[in-house]
Structures are given as C-alpha cells and as structure tokens.
Amino acid sequence: MSKYKTICFANQKGGVGKTTCAVNIAACIARSGKKVLLIDSDPQGNATSGLGINKRNTGATVYDLIIGRSRADEAVIPTEYENLYIVPSSINLVGAELELVDEEKREFRLRDALQVVKDDYDYVIVDCPPSLGLITINALTASDAIIVPVLCEYYSLEGLSQLTMTIKQIKRFYNPSLELLGVLINMFDGRLNLSVQVLEEIKKYFSDKLFKTPIPRNIKISEAPSYGMPITEYDRHSKGSAAYAAVAREVMDRCGY
C-alpha cells in the first residue's frame, strides 16, 4: 500500500511547467505498470488536451464533481495509454468558486468526490491551477502529498516560501496529513550561471526534499503536448523522457510503492 496515494502538482506561480510535469510523471508511473488517475483541475484543461482528449467532448468533468452534479466514476475517461485514466477539466471551473461561496464544507468537495474511485487506482495525480483559489485548496485538501515544480529563477524562490506557508495553513485548517513530497527543478539549463546559483540556494532550504534529477530544457518536451502525447510516447529516447522516468521512479520510491 502506498504511503502517499493522492499527489497534487501545485505552484501558485504560473509558467513553471506544472501541467507538463503532472502529465509526464503520471504517464511514466502508468508505464511502469501502476494504474494512475490524473485529475485535471486547471480550467485551462491543458492536461486533458495534452493526453489527446478533445475538451469539448468529455461529458462529466472535475467541475461536475466539485459542484456535486456527477460522481467521480462517471467522469473517468481512459486515455490511449495503458493504465492511464483522466477526469478532464472544464472552463466552467472558473466560476465554481462563486457558485460554492455559500456552501458548507466547500473545501472538501474534491476529496469527498474521489472517495468513490480512490481504491481503484495505485496513484491519483492532481494538476492544480496556477493560483491559490478554492479549486487549489480543494486539491490540497484531497491530497496526501504535494510536488512543487519550480524554475531556477529568483522569483521561484519567493514562490517556494509562499507555498510553504500555504501548506502550513492547509495542514492547520483542512488536511493535517498533507506532506511536501518534493521540489522538482524544471526547465533546467546547467550552462546558465543563474540556474546553478538558484539551484544551490534551493538546496540550502530544501535539500532533503529536492528530487535528484532536474528536468532539462528540451524541445521534445515542449513539442509533445501539441501532439496530445506525453514525452514517453512522443520521443521515448529523448533526454527529457529519461529525466521524467528517473523522477517518476523517485516519486514511487518516496511513496513507498
């Protein structure tokens, strides 16, 4: 049994490649033989389209789960890839916060909805929107652990300290068992002095939480979503694919499964 089954990818700073990390790590874990459910809770729906699914023809979505219109088992879609399933996103998520503003236990909607399907999967991976609104709070409340993708830029350091405070608040008010599974360096370019300096700074504060393999800047990783494919399928032999496979193994090791 996995120590951490539900893992969310979150960073309130946008543009850090959070969705790309969630999709590719989910795909790598599925490729290893584990059954994985990806929850696309970002209204932009990039994780949904990044797995080749047409956002217009999905039926029930994460929005329907959060407002209580559908059960999770009615919203799951199998992807083209073995062992990998998804609950797709919807642009309607943008308005979900207003719809739920007066509802009781609104922070627990996703957690409660996932209880129906949680035991059917080895891992549930949640892609969060790049903000700290009600949808992200729902994702953090539903999760056992969080992975934080960051870029090697000084703004990322600020974002990390803000997110650490957010995790403390979520633990205090909604989810005492939430843990930081790891910090993942994304789009790393070791030729740049700034990247190396920021990496050293992150190591000072998060050395025990930093994943050993940074994800490199890699054109194949950038191209893959436009073909609706994870990097493991688009170019299995690229540096980016090898890096994601290494991180996925480390995620499974840290989860004890």
Side-chain angles (χ1 to χ4, degrees):
M1 185 65 182
S2 176
K3 183 181 175 187
Y4 303 119
K5 174 174 249 190
T6 305
I7 303 165
C8 68
F9 282 72
N11 191 329
Q12 54 221 55
K13 186 181 185 306
V16 298
K18 173 183 47 57
T19 297
T20 305
C21 292
V23 167
N24 286 315
I25 289 171
C28 286
I29 293 174
R31 195 176 178 81
S32 78
K34 303 295 182 189
K35 195 175 177 187
V36 181
L37 176 61
L38 180 62
I39 309 291
D40 186 358
S41 68
D42 187 341
Q44 295 174 80
N46 291 337
T48 303
S49 58
L51 287 174
I53 291 161
N54 187 332
K55 288 182 276 191
R56 295 192 187 96
N57 303 326
T58 55
T61 68
V62 172
Y63 168 76
D64 298 295
L65 304 192
I66 284 178
I67 66 162
R69 185 190 288 167
S70 295
R71 286 165 50 100
D73 51 358
E74 298 167 337
V76 173
I77 297 175
T79 71
E80 290 179 32
Y81 312 107
E82 192 176 1
N83 296 321
L84 184 56
Y85 300 79
I86 189 169
V87 176
S89 180
S90 164
I91 193 65
N92 293 333
L93 273 170
V94 170
E97 299 195 20
L98 289 173
E99 291 181 52
L100 295 174
V101 72
D102 294 324
E103 297 291 326
E104 282 186 26
K105 298 187 75 176
R106 59 179 189 249
E107 298 87 2
F108 299 90
R109 290 298 186 96
L110 185 60
R111 184 199 70 179
D112 294 346
L114 291 179
Q115 295 303 322
V116 181
V117 295
K118 205 171 176 181
D119 291 342
D120 298 335
Y121 299 90
D122 297 308
Y123 289 93
V124 178
I125 290 178
V126 187
D127 182 36
C128 296
S131 62
L132 190 61
L134 182 61
I135 304 304
T136 299
I137 291 171
N138 262 269
L140 291 167
T141 301
S143 297
D144 303 310
I146 175 173
I147 292 174
V148 185
V150 297
L151 305 184
C152 276
E153 299 172 352
Y154 279 110
Y155 288 131
S156 288
L157 288 173
E158 288 181 14
L160 258 180
S161 61
Q162 289 169 356
L163 198 60
T164 305
M165 289 167 59
T166 298
I167 293 169
K168 284 179 183 171
Q169 289 177 316
I170 296 291
K171 282 173 74 89
R172 183 178 167 200
F173 293 112
Y174 307 119
N175 184 5
S177 59
L178 181 66
E179 298 290 342
L180 175 61
L181 188 66
V183 175
L184 176 58
I185 303 296
N186 194 25
M187 296 185 250
F188 181 69
D189 188 343
R191 298 169 300 176
L192 300 177
N193 285 337
L194 178 63
S195 296
V196 176
Q197 287 168 10
V198 174
L199 178 57
E200 290 306 313
E201 199 67 23
I202 292 171
K203 279 180 182 173
K204 279 185 201 171
Y205 299 101
F206 295 96
S207 58
D208 58 326
K209 295 294 186 182
L210 199 60
F211 287 104
K212 294 187 184 83
T213 306
I215 304 299
R217 270 195 195 279
N218 181 260
I219 188 65
K220 298 293 184 183
I221 294 174
S222 303
E223 289 172 356
S226 63
Y227 292 89
M229 301 168 88
I231 186 62
T232 47
E233 304 298 328
Y234 179 65
D235 189 342
R236 197 173 308 161
H237 305 292
S238 67
K239 286 182 180 176
S241 184
Y244 272 117
V247 173
R249 283 193 296 273
E250 196 173 351
V251 168
M252 289 187 282
D253 287 344
R254 291 189 187 194
C255 289
Y257 192 44

